[in-house]
């Protein structure tokens, strides 16, 4: 069984969806560690509650991104991690990190990439007036919100949608999609 880490900086609702799917044996892999760059992240509470080890890495303790990611790589090696699942991790990974886990880092983005990159994708889509947006899961490369798309689902923006309702609908879609894609990815890696 492949082993993976989830990286999260905040709420961790996608982490929770993954934990719930694991409990139901819907993901053929083992979540062995949750990594955060934010000791206040609610994602850490979720991990602790599920009995999953956590690693907190304080960005201020390192001279640069490369040094920080080196420390994370060391931790991941100790946990024998095969692949990495980014779930609301608000940091750009160093080229070193991407190279170490080349084609083994997944990210979820709340828009249809390459549209609406960045940290405010739902709001940007909503205010731009597009008639649909969606969710993308992709492999991470050296560029931000970039890399081979492995799954994409569209969602129509309804006339009655407010930013709040659209956010809720996007998150629901993410929570349905991500555990499935993680499972599919883990099974492919195991072949
Ligand atoms: C999600 O919308 C994800 O697409 C984006 O960051 C958000 C994280 O939410 N990358 P959560 O922490 O999983 O609740």
């Amino acid at each position: 069984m492949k082993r993976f880490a989830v990286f999260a900086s905040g709420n961790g609702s996608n982490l929770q969806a993954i934990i719930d799917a694991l409990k139901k044996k819907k993901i053929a892999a083992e979540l062995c560690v949750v990594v955060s760059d934010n000791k206040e992240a609610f994602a850490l509470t979720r991990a602790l509650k599920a009995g999953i080890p956590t690693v907190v890495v304080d960005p201020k303790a390192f001279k640069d991104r490369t040094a920080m990611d080196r420390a994370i790589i060391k931790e991941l090696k100790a946990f024998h991690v095969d692949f990495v699942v980014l779930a609301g991790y608000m940091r750009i990974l160093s080229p070193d990190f991407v190279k170490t886990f080349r084609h083994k880092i997944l990210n979820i983005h709340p828009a249809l990439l390459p549209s609406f990159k960045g940290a405010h994708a739902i709001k940007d889509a909503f205010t731009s007036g597009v008639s649909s947006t969606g969710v993308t899961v992709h492999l991470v490369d050296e560029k931000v919100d970039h890399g081979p798309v492995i799954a994409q689902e569209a969602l129509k923006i309804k006339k009655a949608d407010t930013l709040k309702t659209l956010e809720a609908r996007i998150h629901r879609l993410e929570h349905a999609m991500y555990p499935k894609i993680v499972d599919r990815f883990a099974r492919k890696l195991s072949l």
Side-chain angles (χ1 to χ4, degrees):
M1 194 119 94
K2 294 294 174 188
R3 295 164 63 83
F4 69 105
V6 170
F7 284 27
S9 301
N11 178 24
S13 67
N14 281 284
L15 166 67
Q16 190 65 55
I18 289 168
I19 289 172
D20 294 346
L22 283 162
K23 278 196 195 131
K24 292 185 197 145
K25 307 224 176 294
K26 286 188 171 168
I27 298 178
E30 189 186 337
L31 172 52
C32 51
V33 61
V34 170
V35 175
S36 186
D37 59 332
N38 169 19
K39 66 176 183 351
E40 311 292 344
F42 188 58
L44 292 169
T45 307
R46 297 182 191 268
L48 286 174
K49 209 171 153 200
I52 297 153
T54 57
V55 167
V56 180
V57 187
D58 177 6
K60 289 196 236 61
F62 300 92
K63 74 168 194 303
D64 57 21
R65 185 189 302 161
T66 305
M68 172 163 163
D69 281 2
R70 246 178 229 150
I72 298 178
I73 291 170
K74 225 172 150 188
E75 294 281 357
L76 298 186
K77 298 260 165 173
F79 279 99
H80 303 287
V81 164
D82 298 300
F83 68 100
V84 172
V85 173
L86 305 183
Y89 186 63
M90 301 310 283
R91 263 171 206 283
I92 298 165
L93 296 170
S94 63
D96 237 30
F97 190 97
V98 175
K99 205 171 141 199
T100 304
F101 288 94
R102 171 83 60 203
H103 303 317
K104 289 184 181 149
I105 310 167
L106 298 179
N107 184 41
I108 188 159
H109 184 77
L112 296 176
L113 290 175
S115 296
F116 306 111
K117 294 180 181 174
H120 310 287
I122 305 176
K123 191 172 171 205
D124 291 347
F126 184 72
T127 53
S128 79
V130 289
S131 59
S132 57
T133 180
V135 172
T136 303
V137 177
H138 66 99
L139 291 175
V140 172
D141 65 11
E142 281 80 2
K143 295 186 210 151
V144 178
D145 293 332
H146 187 271
V149 170
I150 50 181
Q152 217 163 28
E153 276 190 43
L155 188 150
K156 276 209 162 55
I157 300 178
K158 298 176 184 163
K159 273 220 172 77
D161 265 325
T162 60
L163 178 56
K164 253 204 145 107
T165 62
L166 181 62
E167 276 170 353
R169 292 175 61 220
I170 290 273
H171 292 315
R172 256 203 311 276
L173 179 56
E174 289 188 317
H175 303 159
M177 269 175 87
Y178 216 10
K180 282 189 198 150
I181 306 301
V182 171
D183 176 55
R184 209 171 73 196
F185 186 77
R187 285 173 194 275
K188 266 204 182 144
L189 268 191
S190 305
L191 290 179

